[in-house]
Amino acid sequence: MHDIVVKAPDAVREIADRLEGAGHETWCVGGAVRDALLGQADVDWDLATAATPGEVKRLFGRTVPVGIEHGTIGVFGRDGRLHEVTSFRADVETDGRHAVVTFGVSLDEDLARRDFTINAMAWSPSRQELRDPFGGRADLQARRVRAVGEASRRMAEDRLRALRAIRFAARFDFAIDADTWRAIVDSAPSLTRLSVERVLQEWTKTLQQVRCPSRAFEQWRASGALAVLVPRLSAVEAVCFEAVDHVPLPSCSTRPERAALRLLTRLALPFVTLGGREAHAALTALRASNTDVAFAGAVADSWVRVGLELERLAADDVPDGAALRGIASSIGRMRVPATLRVFAAIWAARRERDVAAPTGAQVARLARRMLRIAFRDPIALGDLAVSGDELRTIGVKPGPLMGRILHDLLQRVLVDPAINTHDQLLAIAVQHVEEN
Ligand code: ATP
Ligand code: MG
């Protein structure tokens, strides 16, 4: 197998060479080797070494104890990046969540504790040699995720592996080996042992790394993991997962704000048809951040309140402006763009399944109109040509009456923005006062 060449970055080779020069066998391991064999560039290269963590620290000037209890030291390379160097280790005791580790083992033992054959290969830059004791390369060629060793035992050691298998399969569009799949299904009832943080992290990684995550979420469902970990989603229609596939990968944008928005859109989508309260509850249970929970809850609320009406309006050649302004106002100006993106993804997924939904052209036209309305028309209390302070000058005290008057003024302005002038609104307010 001399044909295999893995090209590790120079900075990584230098770190390996320094360790080897001091007499410590050192290999590139894990995801970067896998990705390099797949022809994909990787930025995170992990190294495994026979050196102890203390020896690694002594050999390099700038180090960071990133995971000292697991024997991992971060070493700054010439490229300015932090590269993880982990001492060869084996797991001596596991409980489905944590492992007690021991150092001073061989490379092959270190590879044996890794989860899947495609993740259990090592490359030595100095020897130009691939170490592949479990047939990872053959599995890459067969496009298969397969556990190292006995699948059921490996899943029991660490319950996260069930979710990782599903993520890797969806990410590379691989199948899951039959024994490994059975072990995942058997694992599902025990997934309660995972901390919510690890579940959310795995869910988020899936959204970040997998171009079409619907496949992964369907496998969460088929394996039973979804019912155990995110029960509110277990009855959601498949099309809600498929909608996520219509939002581009966050990493495909070089602009950080856009990447963050894509991730947020992907996170919210499966929850949207649950409605505001349930979406809020489901994401709170997953310990999503407060802003993410608030966003998904608000969009889910809008979907249930105005989704159908927007579908109808999208089909009209000249949609009723007052209706669109009312909807934009109820969504809230700043949330209109993101809400429309979420709705558009659901409609796109529906079209793909030949379920009735607005056409792409109708959605684009609707979005243009809604954005113009949201950012040009008076649709919020603050846009009104009279303020609460001015109402006081005609004798309206702050309180329920003032609230009612302002609300009524806004409703009228939504119907006819032309009346949003100081004099016209004040005249209406005076009428209110006289009627009270
Ligand atoms: P990614 O691109 O998602 O980072 P990766 O393969 O690098 O993929 P990491 O989570 O960074 O995944 O882990 C690095 C390596 O550590 C894996 O390739 C695998 O060999 C090993 N590993 C990680 N998590 C586990 C686990 N839960 N059980 C066994 N081995 C694991
Ligand atoms: Mg990694």
Side-chain angles (χ1 to χ4, degrees):
M1 292 220 273
H2 293 290
D3 54 323
I4 316 156
V5 176
V6 172
K7 247 198 94 42
D10 289 343
V12 172
R13 289 195 57 147
E14 269 180 26
I15 295 171
D17 287 348
R18 168 103 54 109
L19 284 156
E20 295 254 340
H24 309 296
E25 187 186 347
T26 299
W27 295 71
C28 301
V29 286
V33 176
R34 174 199 68 218
D35 293 352
L37 290 171
L38 284 170
Q40 299 176 6
D42 214 312
V43 286
D44 287 328
W45 284 74
D46 298 332
L47 294 156
T49 183
T52 63
E55 285 165 332
V56 175
K57 268 203 282 199
R58 276 193 293 281
L59 267 174
F60 296 94
R62 294 166 65 209
T63 63
V64 180
V66 282
I68 196 80
E69 66 289 358
H70 302 115
T72 304
I73 306 283
V75 175
F76 280 102
R78 190 165 51 119
D79 54 358
R81 301 187 68 92
L82 195 66
H83 299 279
E84 295 194 354
V85 179
T86 306
S87 303
F88 291 157
R89 51 174 255 213
D91 298 339
V92 287
E93 217 183 292
T94 53
D95 67 353
R97 283 179 299 180
H98 316 99
V100 178
V101 302
T102 178
F103 302 116
V105 303
S106 68
L107 170 67
D108 281 3
E109 284 175 273
D110 183 273
L111 294 176
R113 70 153 176 97
R114 294 170 185 270
D115 45 8
F116 308 109
T117 62
I118 57 171
N119 290 348
M121 293 180 277
W123 171 257
S124 162
S126 60
R127 297 169 193 80
Q128 292 283 295
E129 180 193 337
L130 184 77
R131 187 69 67 81
D132 178 19
F134 306 104
R137 203 162 160 253
D139 282 335
L140 278 183
Q141 261 146 16
R143 306 171 65 79
R144 179 167 59 207
V145 175
R146 186 164 60 90
V148 168
E150 196 190 319
S152 54
R153 201 167 61 81
R154 303 311 309 285
M155 297 296 161
E157 283 170 5
D158 178 357
R159 297 298 178 186
L160 196 68
R161 289 174 187 156
L163 305 180
R164 284 173 59 87
I166 291 174
R167 168 161 58 90
F168 287 118
R171 173 168 162 197
F172 301 119
D173 197 18
F174 282 11
I176 297 178
D177 163 76
D179 275 348
T180 302
W181 177 254
R182 256 191 304 280
I184 293 170
V185 173
D186 292 343
S187 223
S190 309
L191 292 177
T192 46
R193 292 186 58 77
L194 289 173
S195 73
V196 178
E197 285 75 11
R198 290 184 91 189
V199 174
L200 178 65
Q201 193 180 41
E202 198 49 47
W203 187 272
T204 307
K205 277 192 180 181
T206 303
L207 297 172
Q208 283 169 327
Q209 295 181 339
V210 181
R211 186 172 300 279
C212 295
S214 67
R215 215 182 128 222
F217 295 134
E218 281 308 332
Q219 288 189 327
W220 277 55
R221 170 146 51 201
S223 64
L226 198 65
V228 170
L229 297 175
V230 201
R232 286 183 175 86
L233 283 187
S234 54
V236 146
E237 281 179 85
V239 76
C240 300
F241 291 135
E242 288 155 17
V244 185
D245 302 351
H246 290 272
V247 181
L249 271 178
S251 58
C252 286
S253 173
T254 48
R255 287 172 36 204
E257 333 78 72
R258 178 174 298 175
L261 202 60
R262 284 180 180 171
L263 181 60
L264 181 56
T265 307
R266 284 182 150 220
L267 178 74
L269 267 166
F271 299 89
V272 165
T273 57
L274 294 177
R277 267 184 40 170
E278 284 293 286
H280 199 281
L283 281 158
T284 302
L286 266 180
R287 307 241 177 101
S289 75
N290 289 344
T291 42
D292 292 358
V293 173
F295 172 79
V299 177
D301 181 60
S302 298
W303 175 262
V304 171
R305 275 188 309 105
V306 302
L308 261 181
E309 197 185 348
L310 265 183
E311 271 172 53
R312 271 197 300 271
L313 290 163
D316 293 342
D317 280 335
V318 187
D320 177 14
L324 289 182
R325 283 187 293 274
I327 290 173
S329 174
S330 79
I331 290 173
R333 170 169 291 136
M334 298 316 285
R335 283 218 165 107
V336 167
T339 302
L340 285 174
R341 262 192 294 274
V342 169
F343 288 16
I346 297 178
W347 290 328
R350 283 199 183 158
R351 284 198 301 275
E352 206 136 276
R353 282 192 166 244
D354 287 325
V355 177
T359 66
Q362 287 171 341
V363 175
R365 191 179 57 185
L366 177 76
R368 273 196 308 276
R369 287 197 174 126
M370 286 287 284
L371 292 177
R372 200 177 316 126
I373 284 172
F375 292 100
R376 290 196 190 157
D377 286 355
I379 60 164
L381 289 178
D383 304 332
L384 292 176
V386 295
S387 64
D389 281 344
E390 282 165 292
L391 294 185
R392 274 200 247 190
T393 64
I394 58 165
V396 185
K397 292 193 190 67
L401 176 62
M402 183 182 277
R404 266 204 311 281
I405 294 176
L406 287 169
H407 179 79
D408 177 58
L409 294 178
L410 179 59
Q411 295 315 305
R412 291 174 190 239
V413 166
L414 288 172
V415 173
D416 180 9
I419 66 161
N420 190 30
T421 64
H422 183 264
D423 293 352
Q424 291 185 82
L425 294 192
L426 213 57
I428 299 169
V430 169
Q431 268 175 28
H432 272 283
V433 175
E434 284 166 0
E435 282 162 20
N436 262 272

